[in-house]
Amino acid sequence: MLSPLIQKLGIRSPLSDHDRKALQQVCGRVVSVGAHQDLIEEGDASDHVTFIRSGFACRYRILPDGERAIIAYLVPGDACDLYAPLLGHMDHAVATLTRCDVAVVSRQDFDVLTSDYPAIAGALHVSDLVDEAISREWLVSMGRRSAEKQIAHLLCELLARLQVVGLATSDSYDFPITQADLADASGLSVVHTNRVLQTLRAEGLILLRHKNLSVPDLSRLHAFADFDISYLHLRSSPNRSAPIQLRSGPIRLQ
Amino acid sequence: MLSPLIQKLGIRSPLSDHDRKALQQVCGRVVSVGAHQDLIEEGDASDHVTFIRSGFACRYRILPDGERAIIAYLVPGDACDLYAPLLGHMDHAVATLTRCDVAVVSRQDFDVLTSDYPAIAGALHVSDLVDEAISREWLVSMGRRSAEKQIAHLLCELLARLQVVGLATSDSYDFPITQADLADASGLSVVHTNRVLQTLRAEGLILLRHKNLSVPDLSRLHAFADFDISYLHLRSSPNRSAPIQLRSGPIRLQ
DNA sequence: CGTGTTCTTGAGAATCCTCAATGAAGGTGG
DNA sequence: CCACCTTCATTGAGGATTCTCAAGAACACG
């Protein structure tokens, strides 16, 4: 089974077998972490690079009044602290939401990897740029979409991101995120999050039972949520429908 | 007078005189653009790199119902589309908010610059990471801060960012952003934005007159807005108070 | 079969929105 | 310099959304 990281990078950037092997080797040390555990704390000047191998995690900050703001969801294949040393310290924390397997790579090994394999460095950079695009989309959702559309949009995004790493079918995925975690990511209260989910269910837009989410009519959910997948940059250009050719070569997509 | 771009990069990453000269040379072509003009449209596969030289701009998206969401403010020294080719197309647009001078660099010249001057490439990367941190902070504000604190926080952020490029005193700056632009960046209505500003004025937290913002008691505003400047990464570490030494050398800050 | 977490519901209150209108500021042409 | 026009800021009022508090139900786990 291909690691989710390699799957994710390979979709957006061409990687050679050589690159894949190097990645697989470096990410050998996998640690299992229970739910609701900090992987990285605010202020850390992390000397490791951490990747989510399985499970869900999040970036978050705690405010003075004790409120928690979740800034991003991390799914298998996502990096936690790729560029932390460039900024000197973490300005937010990372915690698991469920039990997770995480790959921990020493910063030294990682630096060797990226300088020996520029295609990997490039693919990781692209992947970080997509994370930025996701942040922007969350800002759009929080600022200008109704609570219902915001949550629906988030569910669409997770479907697409999990499909990339082979953890979702065409219309469903395991959804272990609690309503409290969803609330902190949406800026809503838990109570309202609950009511929003009920509305989406009542409208027949989603089926959510036993920690599994399935979408009866994906195009209807997309239309409702105003979900345009292009911000995830799964293709090199919105106008080009053919997938990127998989070959080793330059980092640039076009 | 040093260009705002060079000022900004130099604060977070060591640049040699050599680097500075190269930057100055490449950013020679400056274009003047009126207020409320698109600099980059959504979907563009830009073949230029654009930097704000003077004036205010923003990243934004228009939703199907016509609403505008502002995702980021751009101030002098900020890049508009640094890594656009890596993602293939712009997933959002960039527009001026006021009259702006922008430096337009051909993608070709830019690529030559970054490969000839790795310190510049590194500094730009760090700068982009800070933009990410700013996005995250906006998410925190939108999700879990009151409208008053959110706007106050934004005003604190702008003060700090403008100080970096020499466009603010210790407690004031020119503030040409309209309440409509502030509303679209905060996810509030124009009416409520107006009332929030009035509250901040009534509390004596800000003075806003004739497009000029000044802060009578900065630490009070910081405390009110829960503003912790460390996310702007103006120092290499929150525990180290000495500024970064200015010398040419490796990209990494520590 | 208890115990803690998560989900759900009700009700009243705070926040924020929309609509609609007025006032103030700035720019332009005569 | 004034009349006019456009943009921006402000105000009032009623309503929608979302919140908090509080409690009970369902579920998961040992």
Side-chain angles (χ1 to χ4, degrees):
Chain A
M1 180 210 125
L2 210 55
S3 94
L5 173 62
I6 295 176
Q7 281 186 270
K8 186 182 78 161
L9 296 186
I11 282 209
R12 298 193 181 98
S13 312
L15 291 181
S16 66
D17 288 347
H18 212 54
D19 296 325
R20 286 164 211 272
K21 261 189 209 122
L23 263 172
Q24 202 134 29
Q25 214 145 36
V26 161
C27 295
R29 192 156 79 87
V30 172
V31 180
S32 193
V33 182
H36 312 297
Q37 302 295 312
D38 270 2
L39 294 174
I40 304 154
E41 288 177 25
E42 202 177 318
D44 277 7
S46 140
D47 52 347
H48 300 290
V49 188
T50 316
F51 296 95
I52 305 295
R53 182 75 200 228
S54 75
F56 286 75
C58 69
R59 303 182 185 282
Y60 75 94
R61 295 223 308 130
I62 300 290
L63 299 182
D65 58 3
E67 293 278 313
R68 178 181 64 161
I70 289 181
I71 297 157
Y73 283 144
L74 301 177
V75 303
D78 287 341
C80 299
D81 46 7
L82 207 52
Y83 299 116
L86 283 177
L87 287 180
H89 67 277
M90 290 291 290
D91 50 42
H92 61 277
V94 177
T96 59
L97 295 173
T98 65
R99 165 167 288 283
C100 284
D101 288 343
V102 300
V104 183
V105 183
S106 81
R107 182 58 65 176
Q108 199 175 9
D109 289 354
F110 181 75
D111 289 344
V112 170
L113 178 78
T114 50
S115 59
D116 286 357
Y117 299 86
I120 293 177
L124 288 170
H125 191 189
V126 169
S127 165
D128 186 60
L129 293 176
V130 173
D131 289 348
E132 273 189 76
I134 292 172
S135 285
R136 288 193 293 264
E137 196 64 37
W138 281 35
L139 273 171
V140 172
S141 274
M142 287 197 124
R144 286 287 179 244
R145 286 199 252 258
S146 69
E148 284 78 12
K149 292 188 184 218
Q150 183 187 357
I151 298 232
H153 196 283
L154 181 52
L155 297 179
C156 291
E157 176 187 299
L158 282 174
L159 176 63
R161 288 171 63 190
L162 290 172
Q163 280 172 347
V164 166
V165 290
L167 292 171
T169 70
S170 63
D171 61 2
S172 75
Y173 54 98
D174 283 338
F175 187 77
I177 295 173
T178 68
Q179 294 184 4
D181 295 334
L182 209 46
D184 283 343
S186 319
L188 304 172
S189 66
V190 181
V191 171
H192 198 60
T193 300
N194 178 279
R195 292 187 167 128
V196 166
L197 285 174
Q198 286 181 55
T199 305
L200 295 180
R201 276 192 280 227
E203 295 286 331
L205 288 165
I206 60 170
L207 292 171
L208 183 51
R209 274 194 323 251
H210 308 305
K211 306 267 177 205
N212 180 279
L213 182 106
S214 90
V215 182
D217 183 344
L218 189 56
S219 59
R220 198 160 81 87
L221 186 63
H222 279 185
F224 172 78
D226 169 37
F227 182 79
D228 175 354
I229 200 170
S230 66
Y231 75 97
L232 291 176
H233 296 273
L234 297 173
R235 304 178 189 288
S236 62
S237 156
N239 304 323
R240 180 151 47 124
S241 56
I244 304 149
Q245 304 104 297
L246 291 180
R247 50 169 170 73
S248 71
I251 298 156
R252 300 259 302 281
L253 291 187
Q254 54 171 9
Chain B
M1 177 211 129
L2 208 54
S3 94
L5 174 62
I6 295 174
Q7 282 186 270
K8 187 182 77 159
L9 296 185
I11 281 208
R12 297 193 183 99
S13 312
L15 290 181
S16 66
D17 288 348
H18 213 54
D19 295 326
R20 286 163 212 273
K21 259 187 211 125
L23 263 173
Q24 203 133 29
Q25 215 146 32
V26 160
C27 295
R29 189 157 80 88
V30 172
V31 180
S32 195
V33 181
H36 311 296
Q37 302 295 312
D38 270 2
L39 294 175
I40 303 154
E41 289 178 22
E42 203 178 316
D44 277 7
S46 140
D47 53 345
H48 301 290
V49 187
T50 316
F51 297 95
I52 305 294
R53 183 72 201 230
S54 75
F56 286 74
C58 68
R59 302 182 186 283
Y60 75 95
R61 296 224 306 130
I62 300 290
L63 299 181
D65 60 1
E67 293 278 314
R68 179 181 63 159
I70 290 182
I71 297 157
Y73 282 144
L74 300 178
V75 302
D78 287 341
C80 299
D81 47 6
L82 207 51
Y83 298 115
L86 283 178
L87 288 180
H89 69 276
M90 291 291 289
D91 51 43
H92 62 277
V94 177
T96 60
L97 294 173
T98 66
R99 164 166 289 282
C100 284
D101 288 344
V102 299
V104 182
V105 183
S106 82
R107 182 59 64 174
Q108 199 175 9
D109 289 355
F110 181 74
D111 290 343
V112 169
L113 178 78
T114 50
S115 59
D116 286 357
Y117 298 87
I120 293 177
L124 289 169
H125 191 189
V126 169
S127 165
D128 186 59
L129 293 177
V130 173
D131 289 347
E132 274 189 75
I134 292 172
S135 284
R136 287 192 293 264
E137 196 64 36
W138 281 35
L139 272 172
V140 172
S141 274
M142 287 198 131
R144 288 285 179 247
R145 286 199 254 258
S146 69
E148 284 76 13
K149 292 187 184 217
Q150 183 187 356
I151 297 227
H153 196 283
L154 181 51
L155 298 178
C156 291
E157 176 186 299
L158 282 174
L159 176 63
R161 289 171 63 190
L162 291 171
Q163 280 173 346
V164 166
V165 291
L167 292 172
T169 70
S170 63
D171 60 2
S172 74
Y173 54 98
D174 283 339
F175 187 77
I177 294 173
T178 67
Q179 294 183 3
D181 294 334
L182 210 45
D184 284 343
S186 319
L188 303 172
S189 67
V190 181
V191 172
H192 198 62
T193 300
N194 177 279
R195 293 187 166 127
V196 165
L197 285 174
Q198 286 182 55
T199 305
L200 294 179
R201 276 191 281 227
E203 295 286 331
L205 287 166
I206 61 169
L207 293 171
L208 182 51
R209 274 194 322 252
H210 309 304
K211 306 265 175 207
N212 180 280
L213 183 106
S214 90
V215 181
D217 183 343
L218 188 56
S219 59
R220 198 160 80 88
L221 186 63
H222 279 185
F224 171 79
D226 169 37
F227 181 79
D228 174 354
I229 200 171
S230 65
Y231 76 97
L232 291 176
H233 296 273
L234 297 173
R235 305 179 188 288
S236 62
S237 156
N239 305 321
R240 181 151 46 124
S241 57
I244 304 152
Q245 303 104 298
L246 291 180
R247 51 169 168 75
S248 69
I251 298 156
R252 301 257 305 278
L253 289 186
Q254 54 169 12

